[in-house]
């Protein structure tokens, strides 16, 4: 989809052949054509219109692909509720959320459960803050270990909240990882880090690249399978 700075016209329920679907309309000065995508985090369709485009043409495109839209939304996992008694993943392990309203410690792991202090309405925000903080500690440390073992040294690591990529490597040797990987099993993290380290030598996905990936990690097939089954659910967590 063409991306760019633009105007967000809010969320709207739009009827299509399969029923009504939530749609967020965007007008972008940089878009050259009408496009649409499904936002896996928010769980709605994003329609992007060039400045000169008519809304009616966007509706026509949406309705012409109503089957694709309905199937894409149906495939999204339900958004997890970060509340007392709910669960969240850390390193692939499910942690029960325990609300401790009288405590003053933010969020902390104790006896295998994630305890959260303060008012109930802040549970989701504090759980997400805890996960981000863990990502800031764990992912850079694991990247350093794998980089040292492989002899492949990135120039820097950036953690971002990306929706379509778990990682990337730029031509200047900088690696980006999605912070949400901290929720995935360590084998999955190992594979994604190995994947990006391999790009330091091969900036493509050719045979030599995949050969190097398989030399750097034994977890490729297992990790790809896990991400196909569970990756979208990591993006559905909000706080």
């Amino acid at each position: 989809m063409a991306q760019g700075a633009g105007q967000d016209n809010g969320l709207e329920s739009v009827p299509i052949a399969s029923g009504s679907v939530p749609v967020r309309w965007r007008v972008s000065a940089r878009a050259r054509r009408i496009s649409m995508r499904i936002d896996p985090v928010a769980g709605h369709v994003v329609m992007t219109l060039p400045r000169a485009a008519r809304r009616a043409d966007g509706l026509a495109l949406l309705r012409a692909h109503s089957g694709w839209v309905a199937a894409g939304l149906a495939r999204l996992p339900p958004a997890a509720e970060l509340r007392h008694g709910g669960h969240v993943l850390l390193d692939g392990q499910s942690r029960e959320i325990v609300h401790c309203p009288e405590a003053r410690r933010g969020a902390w792991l104790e006896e295998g459960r994630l305890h959260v202090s303060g008012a109930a309405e802040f549970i989701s925000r504090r759980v997400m803050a805890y996960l981000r903080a863990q990502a800031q500690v764990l992912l850079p440390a694991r990247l350093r270990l794998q980089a040292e073992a492989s002899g492949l040294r990135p120039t820097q690591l950036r953690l971002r909240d990306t929706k379509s990529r778990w990682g990337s490597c730029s031509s200047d040797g900088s690696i980006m990882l999605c912070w949400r990987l901290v929720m995935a099993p360590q084998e999955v993290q190992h594979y994604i880090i190995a994947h990006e380290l391999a790009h330091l030598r091969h900036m493509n996905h050719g045979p030599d690249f995949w050969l190097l990936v398989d030399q750097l990690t034994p977890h490729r097939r297992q990790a790809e399978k896990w991400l196909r089954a569970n990756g979208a659910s990591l993006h559905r967590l909000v706080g």
Side-chain angles (χ1 to χ4, degrees):
M1 185 190 89
Q3 296 279 352
Q7 178 183 354
D8 189 327
N9 291 328
L11 199 62
E12 176 187 350
S13 180
V14 176
I16 60 174
S18 58
S20 294
V21 295
V23 177
R24 185 171 296 279
W25 296 90
R26 295 185 67 249
V27 177
S28 172
R30 295 162 70 179
R32 295 292 176 264
R33 60 184 176 82
I34 300 172
S35 59
M36 65 181 177
R37 66 178 176 86
I38 293 175
D39 186 322
V41 177
H44 59 235
V45 181
V46 179
M47 296 292 303
T48 300
L49 308 177
R51 285 265 172 92
R54 299 184 309 162
R55 181 185 176 88
D57 293 331
L59 285 170
L61 178 67
L62 176 68
R63 287 166 177 156
H65 294 84
S66 60
W68 176 86
V69 169
L73 290 172
R75 281 195 299 268
L76 293 178
E81 292 188 41
L82 300 179
R83 53 173 175 76
H84 175 71
H87 290 78
V88 68
L89 292 178
L90 178 62
D91 280 345
Q93 298 185 44
S94 180
R95 304 295 189 179
E96 183 183 359
I97 299 170
V98 179
H99 185 211
C100 304
E102 303 304 320
R104 294 293 182 269
R105 295 177 55 184
W108 69 99
L109 201 61
E110 182 179 321
E111 297 181 349
R113 300 191 296 176
L114 184 59
H115 295 70
V116 185
S117 65
E121 59 264 33
F122 300 126
I123 291 177
S124 61
R125 185 188 309 173
R126 291 188 171 179
V127 169
M128 294 297 282
Y130 173 83
L131 293 173
R132 289 190 188 95
Q134 290 297 302
Q136 292 286 346
V137 173
L138 297 175
L139 295 181
R142 290 165 182 169
L143 175 67
R144 285 193 296 270
L145 284 175
Q146 287 182 239
E148 290 171 2
S150 67
L152 299 166
R153 304 295 179 89
T155 57
Q156 65 173 322
L157 169 65
R158 294 169 294 165
L159 297 182
R160 293 183 175 174
D161 193 4
T162 50
K163 297 179 182 179
S164 60
R165 292 184 177 185
W166 295 110
S168 65
C169 179
S170 63
S171 58
D172 66 1
S174 174
I175 285 178
M176 181 282 298
L177 296 176
C178 177
W179 74 261
R180 293 172 185 265
L181 278 172
V182 78
M183 292 183 272
Q186 290 190 44
E187 294 81 6
V188 174
Q189 299 171 29
H190 195 276
Y191 162 65
I192 295 296
I193 290 172
H195 185 115
E196 302 313 328
L197 287 173
H199 276 312
L200 294 173
R201 187 172 295 170
H202 304 289
M203 292 297 292
N204 55 56
H205 288 99
D208 290 340
F209 167 81
W210 289 114
L211 180 62
L212 180 56
V213 170
D214 289 334
Q215 291 171 353
L216 295 177
T217 181
H219 306 302
R220 175 184 166 192
R221 304 299 182 191
Q222 174 187 353
E224 290 176 337
K225 181 179 179 180
W226 192 94
L227 287 171
R228 283 195 298 271
N230 302 285
S233 64
L234 305 188
H235 289 301
R236 294 284 277 156
L237 287 180
V238 295

